[in-house]
Amino acid sequence: MLDVEGIRNDFPILARQVHGKPLVYLDSAATSQKPRQVLETLREYYEEYNSNVHRGIHALAEKATERYEAARERVARFIGAAGPQNIIFTRNTTEAINLVAYAWARPRLHEGDEILLTPMEHHSNLIPWQLVARSTGARLRYVQLTPDGRIDWTSFLALLGPKTRLVAVTHVSNVLGTINPVREMVAAAHRVGALVLVDGAQSVPHMPVDVRELDCDFLAFSGHKMLAPTGIGVLYGKEEVLEEMEPFLGGGEMIGEVTLESATWRELPWKFEAGTPNIAGAIALAAACDYLDALGREEVYRHGLELAEYALRRLQEIDGVTLYGPGPGVARGALVAFTMKGIHPHDISTILDQDGIAIRAGHHCAQPLHRWLNVPATARASFYIYNTCGDIDSLVQSLYRAREYFEYVLR
Ligand code: PLP
């Protein structure tokens, strides 16, 4: 079990008040809060060895380079990658997916090729493929979902075929909480010769993820959802696939030899890192990996699942609440999306905010999924290592207050 009280002490922001009430932060699926141990690495970098990487031959530059490259090795270990050559630092999940769309998909796909997606994708794992389809003539195909928001396996197998070049799928849905059977999907896709990109934005922060066990070709995730700062993300790629790809962006750092007419590229992974990277962000991401590994990734997952199950149970007690995604008893991510009859999710969020409770309301960058759910928007409470059942009790209490208020106003 996690020592949540001890963990909370590491997060200075959790001590603050919002509208005169203690902050109850239930929006970690959007971005997580940051512990002192991570914030300290930022301070240390900027106060003690701020310098550019790779280029300088002086003590500060050497230390910055050493810590930046050590961070890459740390991230590789965090996701079970073979080595640092598999880890490309990006700004976020979105940039990591776009890197694959531009550098792998665009030069390779043609009319007649197919990209297999699901209707539960975040726009970040949808728009890049729409752009690829538009420029190459490739076709997007969509797996059907079961009524409770899981991948319909029969539909997946029926759509998978010799035309499928890529399967791009989220590991955990940021709305439904569904955990997709990625390992089985990869095995099936590889049997027809397709590659698989896994959007790990909602899985890597919350559960053990091992790329060699999954055998996925690409994995994308964001530091800011896993205790690290904004502006640092990761693309994992299999070495042989990355080797075959041309660079995504051109500029300093990613070159070998440059003449006025042409250039050669550096070896992996630097071939894909043009310009000065987010040095402090990468170092802080390594500190976030240390923090999560010290807690135990299995423990982190179990805590999130317990909170999600408790939230499902408590929310079900409220008249007029509809819950989305798999019900209790099914493995799921640490979040719950819901609607309340007669109250728009934005109004729910506004009333909760008055009680110091931060949730998210809207389409959560998943408009096609909301169309499938037949609602314009949902409210979403999402949890992390610093949340307690007490936070969910506060949420439920505030939801009762929201309902009372609307009943009074509409009377
Ligand atoms: N994919 C999923 C499933 C997400 O939940 C998110 C963020 O909410 C993203 C991708 C995009 O992440 P970022 O905005 O950090 O690129």
Side-chain angles (χ1 to χ4, degrees):
M1 256 186 31
L2 295 184
D3 167 19
V4 180
E5 274 319 302
I7 290 171
R8 288 180 67 84
N9 287 334
D10 289 335
F11 290 78
I13 204 170
L14 297 180
R16 69 158 288 174
Q17 299 214 325
V18 172
H19 304 306
K21 308 268 174 58
L23 168 66
V24 176
Y25 189 74
L26 299 178
D27 197 18
S28 293
T31 198
S32 75
Q33 298 302 346
K34 327 297 177 200
R36 276 182 229 282
Q37 291 84 338
V38 168
L39 299 174
E40 178 58 18
T41 59
L42 296 173
R43 188 206 57 76
E44 200 188 359
Y45 169 76
Y46 284 115
E47 287 187 1
E48 296 176 20
Y49 61 99
N50 173 48
S51 185
N52 212 330
V53 288
H54 302 140
R55 298 168 204 176
I57 308 173
H58 58 79
L60 266 52
E62 276 169 16
K63 173 138 190 206
T65 304
E66 182 248 302
R67 293 287 301 270
Y68 179 70
E69 292 305 331
R72 197 191 302 280
E73 288 186 23
R74 183 67 188 88
V75 170
R77 257 190 297 129
F78 191 73
I79 57 166
Q85 69 281 5
N86 302 106
I87 305 298
I88 297 153
F89 285 126
T90 62
R91 279 189 302 146
N92 46 39
T93 305
T94 305
E95 189 177 88
I97 295 172
N98 274 278
L99 194 162
V100 178
Y102 277 83
W104 181 84
R106 284 195 183 218
R108 284 171 182 75
L109 301 199
H110 305 285
E111 212 167 319
D113 288 334
E114 293 180 355
I115 300 172
L116 193 47
L117 303 164
T118 83
M120 69 172 88
E121 298 312 315
H122 188 282
H123 297 160
S124 295
N125 197 29
L126 179 59
I127 309 301
W129 309 120
Q130 289 183 353
L131 292 170
V132 166
R134 214 184 279 176
S135 67
T136 64
R139 181 178 174 203
L140 305 184
R141 308 213 62 189
Y142 290 92
V143 176
Q144 278 180 15
L145 302 181
T146 61
D148 67 345
R150 285 182 285 165
I151 285 173
D152 180 318
W153 193 250
T154 311
S155 155
F156 175 66
L157 290 183
L159 287 170
L160 206 56
K163 292 180 181 168
T164 316
R165 298 290 308 278
L166 180 76
V167 175
V169 62
T170 191
H171 198 170
V172 174
S173 161
N174 65 319
V175 177
L176 302 166
T178 313
I179 302 177
N180 287 318
V182 168
R183 184 152 28 113
E184 292 77 4
M185 293 175 83
V186 171
H190 284 173
R191 280 197 290 277
V192 299
L195 300 195
V196 179
L197 176 140
V198 176
D199 174 351
Q202 298 293 348
S203 63
V204 175
H206 293 275
M207 60 182 67
V209 174
D210 185 308
V211 286
R212 278 191 286 186
E213 195 185 311
L214 294 179
D215 198 28
C216 56
D217 302 281
F218 300 106
L219 172 77
F221 58 100
S222 298
H224 71 93
K225 293 182 198 285
M226 51 174 285
L227 312 179
T230 50
I232 186 74
V234 174
L235 175 69
Y236 158 85
K238 276 190 181 162
E239 196 169 342
E240 62 273 23
V241 184
L242 293 176
E243 283 289 3
E244 279 176 13
M245 288 158 56
E246 286 287 294
F248 170 39
L249 299 171
E253 296 277 336
M254 47 74 72
I255 43 80
E257 193 72 34
V258 183
T259 67
L260 286 178
E261 288 77 29
S262 67
T264 58
W265 318 135
R266 272 182 87 182
E267 65 274 32
L268 287 175
W270 303 289
K271 177 170 85 171
F272 293 107
E273 290 182 9
T276 301
N278 183 349
I279 304 162
I283 295 167
L285 176 59
C289 294
D290 287 345
Y291 193 96
L292 289 168
D293 272 341
L295 296 179
R297 310 270 288 287
E298 198 57 57
E299 289 298 318
V300 170
Y301 168 67
R302 225 169 296 141
H303 180 71
L305 178 61
E306 271 169 31
L307 292 176
E309 295 241 323
Y310 184 69
L312 287 175
R313 246 185 311 123
R314 291 293 330 266
L315 289 168
Q316 260 169 0
E317 293 165 8
I318 306 173
D319 267 355
V321 162
T322 304
L323 296 161
Y324 300 93
V330 180
R332 58 147 56 232
L335 58 92
V336 175
F338 61 96
T339 49
M340 270 177 105
K341 200 166 170 226
I343 316 180
H344 192 279
H346 284 156
D347 294 328
I348 296 177
S349 184
T350 304
I351 292 176
L352 263 53
D353 180 53
Q354 292 307 309
D355 288 338
I357 302 171
I359 64 156
R360 186 142 291 236
H363 53 63
H364 316 294
C365 296
Q367 284 184 16
L369 177 63
H370 281 79
R371 223 161 275 132
W372 181 82
L373 291 170
N374 212 14
V375 287
T378 52
R380 180 186 72 187
S382 56
F383 318 112
Y384 210 10
I385 50 177
Y386 34 70
N387 290 120
T388 62
C389 287
D391 291 341
I392 293 163
D393 293 337
S394 303
L395 167 74
V396 170
Q397 201 178 1
S398 199
L399 289 174
Y400 277 118
R401 204 173 72 79
R403 208 182 51 183
E404 265 169 37
Y405 174 79
F406 268 81
E407 278 170 0
Y408 175 77
V409 167
L410 298 175
R411 210 181 302 146

